[in-house]
Amino acid sequence: MRAIWKGALTFGLVNVPVKVYSAIEDHDVPLHQVHAADGGRIRYQRVCELDGEVVPYADIDKAYDDGERTVVLTAEDLAALPSERSREIEVVEFVPSDQIDLLTLDRPYYLEPDSSSPKAYVLLRQTLERTDRTAVVRFSLRQKTRLAALRVRGDVLVLQTLLWADEVRQASFAALDEPVKISDKELELSASLVESFSADFDPGQFVDEYQQELRTLIDAKLEKGDALDTSETFGEKGEKDAGGEVIDLMAALKASVERSRAARAEKEKVASPKKGKATKAS
């Protein structure tokens, strides 16, 4: 991994030199646009609307337009801002971990200790673990002041940027204003359904099926010379019933519970002969 930022994590008088790494990576199949008629690559150019000239990226500045006037901001202007020059991740406060709204979590980063001794780093990590607190921090990255949550993941400190309060939209739906009566039986069946699906979460069990299918499609086109009938693999099977409204909630819950129980019983039935053979052999 390559560090994208270097600085110091500070809380009180404690200074923890760190390197910052992106904790995630994109595995999506890269696609670009082509001319449907001849397959020619579509290119985009940065053209000035005043003189029609193509402008090199090095000659492009940023600007703010209020509808009447335009203020041009050069790279030097932006670099001179005090917050952009800061190389500190400042701890603002330590809060109970359950007070961080999952909706506000954004991009995660790993922090690596960047000093001859990681003692200050380990001290902060163990302190967060012992107090069950999350540090709310503030720092600057790529010309933007950011708020973030600092927490522990294994032996590593993780910095996860947070959305600002005014970036989270408030949900207001008229349908939820209407009173809805849920019977005890419906709630009981729903809880039973939840129990039948209960498991320990293992993210490794899940894959991006769309990207897998996309790669399969591309490989098949390459192998068959760009002549492939995908109707059977990527057809409309099952789409007809998708998105339909469930009218009888009780019936749907009962059917779901029964189907889940039957599936679980079938798994146990398949597994039981193997257990029996093992016992007999012993």
Side-chain angles (χ1 to χ4, degrees):
M1 291 191 291
R2 183 175 63 87
I4 63 171
W5 192 92
K6 291 179 65 175
L9 177 62
T10 63
F11 64 107
L13 299 178
V14 179
N15 186 289
V16 186
V18 293
K19 294 179 181 178
V20 179
Y21 301 83
S22 177
I24 57 176
E25 55 187 359
D26 186 3
H27 288 165
D28 286 356
V29 178
L31 301 175
H32 58 260
Q33 294 180 326
V34 297
H35 186 195
D38 54 22
R41 184 77 176 263
I42 301 297
R43 303 285 183 178
Y44 291 90
Q45 295 179 318
R46 301 177 180 90
V47 178
C48 175
E49 65 178 18
L50 295 181
D51 58 23
E53 296 293 327
V54 176
V55 182
Y57 186 77
D59 294 339
I60 296 178
D61 286 327
K62 295 183 178 180
Y64 171 78
D65 189 342
D66 64 2
E68 297 180 358
R69 296 168 297 177
T70 298
V71 177
V72 177
L73 301 170
T74 66
E76 291 74 17
D77 290 334
L78 297 173
L81 295 175
S83 60
E84 177 59 20
R85 293 200 308 267
S86 174
R87 306 302 293 177
E88 285 189 354
I89 301 174
E90 177 194 4
V91 174
V92 179
E93 57 188 6
F94 293 93
V95 303
S97 297
D98 59 5
Q99 290 186 1
I100 302 295
D101 186 349
L102 296 179
L103 193 63
T104 64
L105 293 175
D106 199 14
R107 193 175 182 88
Y109 299 90
Y110 290 135
L111 298 188
E112 177 191 20
D114 187 26
S115 63
S116 57
S117 172
K119 185 171 183 178
Y121 182 99
V122 174
L123 172 63
L124 177 56
R125 187 193 70 204
Q126 292 185 358
T127 302
L128 291 174
E129 288 178 318
R130 178 171 297 185
T131 60
D132 192 24
R133 295 268 169 165
T134 293
V136 175
V137 304
R138 183 167 45 210
F139 69 110
S140 294
L141 179 66
R142 294 169 182 157
Q143 299 181 342
K144 186 175 180 180
T145 301
R146 301 170 191 266
L147 197 65
L150 181 70
R151 54 190 180 83
V152 179
R153 186 175 190 268
D155 293 333
V156 179
L157 290 175
V158 173
L159 187 72
Q160 191 145 13
T161 53
L162 299 172
L163 299 174
W164 298 98
D166 60 0
E167 291 181 313
V168 179
R169 301 170 65 181
Q170 296 299 315
S172 179
F173 303 110
L176 296 179
D177 295 334
E178 299 295 328
V180 177
K181 185 177 180 180
I182 303 295
S183 70
D184 291 340
K185 188 62 177 177
E186 288 174 326
L187 196 56
E188 181 183 339
L189 281 168
S190 182
S192 179
L193 178 60
V194 169
E195 182 61 30
S196 68
F197 277 92
S198 295
D200 292 325
F201 179 58
D202 178 8
Q205 294 182 8
F206 303 94
V207 297
D208 188 339
E209 294 178 355
Y210 176 82
Q211 291 298 322
Q212 287 187 337
E213 292 174 354
L214 182 57
R215 289 182 184 276
T216 300
L217 175 61
I218 291 172
D219 290 342
K221 278 182 170 288
L222 290 173
E223 184 178 344
K224 294 190 176 183
D226 200 26
L228 176 67
D229 181 5
T230 60
S231 59
E232 292 185 3
T233 307
F234 308 101
E236 299 179 353
K237 183 179 180 181
E239 293 183 0
K240 191 172 183 180
D241 297 328
E245 183 180 0
V246 178
I247 303 300
D248 192 337
L249 181 59
M250 284 288 288
L253 288 170
K254 287 180 179 179
S256 298
V257 171
E258 291 172 0
R259 183 169 60 180
S260 179
R261 286 176 177 171
R264 178 163 291 186
E266 185 63 26
K267 287 183 179 179
E268 293 175 353
K269 183 179 178 181
V270 172
S272 58
K274 296 180 180 179
K275 294 181 180 178
K277 290 179 180 179
T279 304
K280 187 175 181 180
S282 61

